Amino acid sequence: MKSAEYWLDHLKLEAIELGGFFGEGEASNEIIPQQALPDRFHSDRRFYSNNYYMLARDLASPTPSSRLALHQLNQDEQWFFLQGAALKLYLFLSNGEFKEITVGDKLELDQVLLCSAPHNTWFGAELKDDSDFALCACSLAPGWAPEDSITPTESDIQQLISDYPEQADIIKRLAFSAKS
């Protein structure tokens, strides 16, 4: 198996504020006009966009490299496992449901090769305890733009802890990008 450093170099992945490493993939060359999109979108979007995302231990990074901070997106994000070991994706759904999904290739251990984070859902991720790195592809439709990412405020974090008290430790670990 190739190392995290191999994928970092060959896919030109960059550390991001939300933690981990991001690299752009292909995106549609067709555009959906803003007026055809739900109100949560304030400009035109591509039909879809794809990217690479990696969590890794022990790689130099200004933000945590083994955790993805809590955030929301305006569009659904599909996650596809590519290489490495498993990661845990945590979803705090608007209906009050909490889901922990293990994304990896050991289907016999109830890991999944693909899953989705629905739009307007607080979610984050972290490597499983025994994982060195996890490389995934993420696909978004309509295509992603920077203004589609919403980071929580301290008030949002407190509300999440109130709504999901059994997951308070997870929320606190993944709240490193919260705005005051």
Side-chain angles (χ1 to χ4, degrees), residues 1-13 54 59 83 133 135:
M1 178 172 35
K2 297 189 176 10
S3 69
E5 291 85 357
Y6 173 89
W7 296 112
L8 192 76
D9 292 341
H10 284 79
L11 297 176
K12 299 178 178 24
L13 304 178
M54 184 172 69
L59 289 182
Q83 288 283 314
F133 78 94
L135 175 65

Side-chain angles (χ1 to χ4, degrees), residues 86-107:
L87 64 79
K88 292 181 185 179
L89 187 67
Y90 303 106
L91 305 172
F92 299 88
L93 301 166
S94 59
N95 67 0
E97 184 181 359
F98 169 75
K99 285 187 179 180
E100 179 179 317
I101 301 169
T102 304
V103 182
D105 63 355
K106 293 183 174 52
L107 305 184

Side-chain angles (χ1 to χ4, degrees), residues 137-153:
C138 297
S139 182
L140 298 97
W144 180 82
E147 61 267 24
D148 293 325
S149 293
I150 300 139
T151 53
T153 63

Side-chain angles (χ1 to χ4, degrees), residues 45-101:
R45 291 290 183 281
R46 294 179 180 270
F47 280 15
Y48 68 86
S49 62
N50 296 312
N51 59 61
Y52 297 103
Y53 184 73
M54 184 172 69
L55 291 177
R57 291 197 199 290
D58 305 324
L59 289 182
S61 174
T63 58
S65 63
S66 63
R67 288 180 284 153
L68 171 64
L70 286 172
H71 65 294
Q72 291 181 344
L73 295 171
N74 282 331
Q75 55 277 87
D76 294 356
E77 182 174 49
Q78 296 81 44
W79 285 66
F80 303 90
F81 179 80
L82 296 177
Q83 288 283 314
L87 64 79
K88 292 181 185 179
L89 187 67
Y90 303 106
L91 305 172
F92 299 88
L93 301 166
S94 59
N95 67 0
E97 184 181 359
F98 169 75
K99 285 187 179 180
E100 179 179 317
I101 301 169

